[in-house]
Amino acid sequence: MASFIGLSASQSQFLYRCTLPISSPAFISSSVYLKKQAPVRRLLVLPIKCSSSGPSQDTESEAETTSVPSSSSFSSSLASSNSTYNWRAGIGAVGIIETAYLTYLKLSGSDAFCPLGGGSCGDVLNSDYAFIFGVSLPLLGLIAYGFVTTLSLQLSAKNLPFGINETTGRLLLLGSTTSMATASAYFLYILSTKFSGTSCTYCLVSALLSFSLFFISLKDVGLQEVQKVVGLQVCIASLVFATLSTSYSNLPSAPSSQANIDLPYFTTEITKESSSFALSLARHLHSIGAKMYGAFWCSHCLEQKEMFGREAAKLLDYIECFPDGYKTGTKMIKACADANLEGFPTWVINGQVLSGEMELEKLAEVSGFQFNE
């Protein structure tokens, strides 16, 4: 008789648990006796069905668990990329506002808001260095900031034109911000050498925006990708430097710096006749103690007085911050220094500070003036 051999669980306790099908012959060995023959020993190879045990299920569970962090990591990476694009778009929008304002000043022939020093941004913005081969520098900046902002928004929305993929879009941003940062570095050099001592707030703000966009693009692309295109970046920077150097190679030296400024005090006659509204508003501003701070060399201060007219301007409580003229080392009088002015003209009305030229209607609104003809 053949004997059944049972397999214990201890023989397969590590990775697999082996079970024997009931219908299969469970003979491991048997002794068969034939008539008049010696017993023959036979070895049967039995089909054994093996099913995975607990550890395998744990492996599947681990695989499922692993897939969850992978998906979470992808979502985190996507959110980080969108955040980077939005930051770039926001910074680019600030650049658009600044360059659009400066472009408007160029087209209208107006001067920028006067700083506190004796010089002004106009010394730089109206110089020959404000043009590249005859094209207005603020206009070129407007185009550059517009390109960066538009492309950043398209990357954030995953809606790139002309079949451009995301990697190519990032490299385009890196190339454009590289050229902007190079140009800004060049202009900072010009500002420190050709216009030594002259303050140009708009130039510094634009440089800060350009460098910020460049470093964000570097971080976004990643070190490995940057190493692959570092040669191209060097070529772009060299091309920008060569273009600017060629454009400015034949220019004369910039006007003397602020170190040589010596402006004697002078007055400018107001030619416009005052309207009844301007006269009434000037009397009202005087009655509530509103003050206008200015400087004799500030064109915006003169334009503000012209809005009031000859008669009304005399009624204003106007404080001249440099009554003895301006030259190197001259400080504002104490009344102006105590007011913590940021530029000229500056109005202080009922404790509210207003910088720059103000329309008469705005001054009436802030001061609570109501005109009754």
Side-chain angles (χ1 to χ4, degrees), residues 43-44 56 62 85 134 138 142 148 154 169 176 193 202 205 244 259 274 276 281 284 288 307 322 327-328 339 355:
L43 180 63
L44 300 180
S56 175
E62 290 176 3
Y85 299 145
L142 178 61
V148 170
Q154 290 176 330
S176 58
T193 56
Y202 301 102
V205 170
L244 294 176
S274 299
S276 58
L281 176 60
H284 172 73
I288 64 174
M307 290 184 186
F322 298 95
K327 59 183 177 180
T328 305
S355 296

Side-chain angles (χ1 to χ4, degrees), residues 204-216:
L204 298 178
V205 170
S206 183
L208 176 62
L209 296 175
S210 298
F211 287 130
S212 298
L213 289 171
F214 172 66
F215 287 117
I216 290 176

